[in-house]
């Protein structure tokens, strides 16, 4: 009897504890990766606060022996850089809004409607990401030149929106897939139109995804260099090409001033990520698992 009971009742093994060596190796890998990513940022900040005569000393000092704010003072006195900043804000904000609006409607149509050619259109949107963006620069230049848009804000906004739409559409489609169809059916029974269902039910539930898509489009437009340099006039260029024109010359490069300007330019993006971090994480993970 005892032998029968012992055979019928399976023995549960105690969970294995994680070895200290593997845990230490994991933390060491995280530290190395973090150091690799943060080292350039740290060096940028150190150079921004280092006086000009000490910026090129060898061997370089990891901790500045003397701190100065003269580079930031010169930056505040440069009115041309303020114009570049205004251009970046206008182009990035409009690009983010336009990308979110267009991608939301496209993603909702891909997610909730069934029609002929739906999968082909979805694959076509995804396949557009396979082409290098710089490869399309010549074509876009010719199109905008023929339509009279070359050198304007519109050329930059349309080109940036075109490049950000595919990822935004697929991101939002995954989020709309998690919205239960029963909510749409209940709204239709109550007499709500499809337009009202989209704006009153679907979009509020997809708010984290909309924020994530908008932030992605904003950063894409804020950091672009080659399109902002080629498709606009000098007075409408954004900060990346503006900084190059201001601080990089044929015979001399003002590295401390450039680092100070780069540090100030990165602050709006850092603030946006910190303020919208909760929505960003929720938007990126909402469509990972279908409900």
């Amino acid at each position: 009897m005892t032998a029968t009971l012992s055979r019928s009742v399976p023995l549960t093994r105690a969970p294995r504890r994680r070895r200290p060596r593997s845990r230490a190796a994991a933390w060491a890998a995280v530290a190395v990766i973090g150091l690799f990513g943060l080292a350039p940022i740290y060096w940028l900040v150190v150079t921004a606060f280092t006086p000009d005569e000490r910026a090129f000393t060898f061997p370089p000092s990891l901790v500045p022996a003397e701190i100065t704010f003269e580079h930031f003072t010169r930056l505040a006195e440069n009115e041309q850089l303020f114009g570049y900043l205004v251009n970046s804000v206008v182009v990035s904000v409009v690009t983010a809004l336009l990308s979110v609006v267009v991608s939301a409607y496209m993603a909702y149509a891909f997610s909730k409607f069934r029609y002929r050619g739906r999968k082909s259109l979805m694959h076509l949107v995804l396949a557009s990401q396979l082409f290098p963006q710089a490869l399309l620069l010549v074509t876009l230049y010719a199109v905008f030149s023929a339509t009279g848009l070359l050198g304007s804000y519109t050329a930059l906004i349309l080109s940036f929106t075109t490049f950000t739409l595919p990822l935004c559409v697929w991101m939002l489609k995954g989020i709309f897939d998690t919205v239960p169809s029963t909510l749409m059916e209940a709204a239709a029974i109550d007499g709500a139109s499809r337009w009202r269902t989209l704006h009153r039910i679907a979009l509020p539930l997809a708010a984290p995804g909309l924020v994530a898509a908008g932030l992605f489009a904003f950063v894409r437009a804020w950091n672009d260099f080659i399109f902002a340099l080629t498709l606009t006039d000098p007075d409408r260029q954004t900060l990346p090409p503006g900084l190059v024109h201001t601080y990089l010359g044929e015979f001399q490069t003002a590295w401390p001033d450039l680092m100070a300007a780069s540090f100030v330019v990165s602050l709006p993006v850092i603030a946006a990520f910190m303020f919208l971090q909760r929505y960003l994480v929720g938007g990126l993970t909402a469509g990972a698992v279908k409900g």
Side-chain angles (χ1 to χ4, degrees):
M1 184 69 177
T2 306
T4 304
L5 290 177
S6 61
R7 292 178 182 177
S8 60
V9 178
L11 298 177
T12 58
R13 296 181 179 180
R16 296 181 178 179
R17 294 184 178 181
R18 199 170 183 178
R19 296 181 178 179
R21 292 183 179 180
S22 61
R23 184 176 300 178
W27 280 109
V30 171
V32 171
I33 295 174
L35 181 63
F36 179 79
L38 296 177
I41 300 176
Y42 174 77
W43 191 248
L44 181 147
V45 176
V46 169
T47 307
F49 288 96
T50 302
D52 293 333
E53 60 274 8
R54 293 181 176 270
F56 301 98
T57 56
F58 186 83
S61 177
L62 296 178
V63 179
E66 184 180 352
I67 296 178
T68 181
F69 294 93
E70 60 179 353
H71 310 125
F72 296 93
T73 303
R74 292 198 293 262
L75 177 64
E77 296 174 352
N78 194 330
E79 297 181 358
Q80 190 176 11
L81 288 179
F82 181 76
Y84 294 142
L85 175 62
V86 173
N87 296 338
S88 291
V89 171
V90 171
V91 172
S92 301
V93 170
V94 177
T95 299
L97 294 177
L98 187 60
S99 299
V100 168
V101 171
V102 177
S103 61
Y105 290 120
M106 292 179 62
Y108 185 78
F110 286 151
S111 176
K112 299 304 180 183
F113 296 154
R114 298 295 181 267
Y115 47 89
R116 182 176 298 179
R118 168 178 166 270
K119 290 186 177 181
S120 299
L121 289 175
M122 292 171 55
H123 294 156
L124 182 62
V125 172
L126 184 61
S128 63
Q129 292 291 90
L130 300 177
F131 297 96
Q133 297 176 2
L135 184 65
L136 305 176
L137 181 59
V138 177
T139 303
L140 289 176
Y141 187 93
V143 171
F144 291 139
S145 179
T147 56
L149 297 177
L150 189 65
S152 63
Y153 288 137
T154 307
L156 272 186
I157 293 171
L158 291 179
S159 60
F160 292 157
T161 304
T162 302
F163 299 141
T164 55
L165 273 181
L167 181 59
C168 292
V169 168
W170 276 89
M171 182 191 307
L172 293 179
K173 180 191 175 298
I175 294 175
F176 283 129
D177 287 343
T178 62
V179 177
S181 299
T182 54
L183 295 178
M184 313 299 174
E185 297 172 358
I189 293 175
D190 292 338
S193 61
R194 290 181 176 179
W195 186 265
R196 188 171 185 179
T197 301
L198 169 63
H199 291 85
R200 294 297 182 88
I201 297 178
L203 290 182
L205 293 176
L210 298 177
V211 174
L215 188 58
F216 165 74
F218 179 88
V219 174
R220 169 65 180 81
W222 185 272
N223 293 332
D224 181 84
F225 174 79
I226 185 171
F227 284 89
L229 178 65
T230 308
L231 299 179
T232 56
D233 293 333
D235 58 338
R236 289 187 176 90
Q237 288 180 349
T238 56
L239 279 168
L243 294 180
V244 172
H245 288 160
T246 303
Y247 297 113
L248 299 184
E250 183 178 0
F251 302 103
Q252 185 179 5
T253 300
W255 288 110
D257 294 281
L258 179 60
M259 295 299 103
S262 302
F263 174 73
V264 174
V265 167
S266 63
L267 291 180
V269 179
I270 296 174
F273 270 98
M274 293 180 62
F275 180 73
L276 302 174
Q277 181 181 9
R278 177 167 58 94
Y279 300 97
L280 179 64
V281 175
L284 292 177
T285 59
V289 180
K290 293 185 178 180

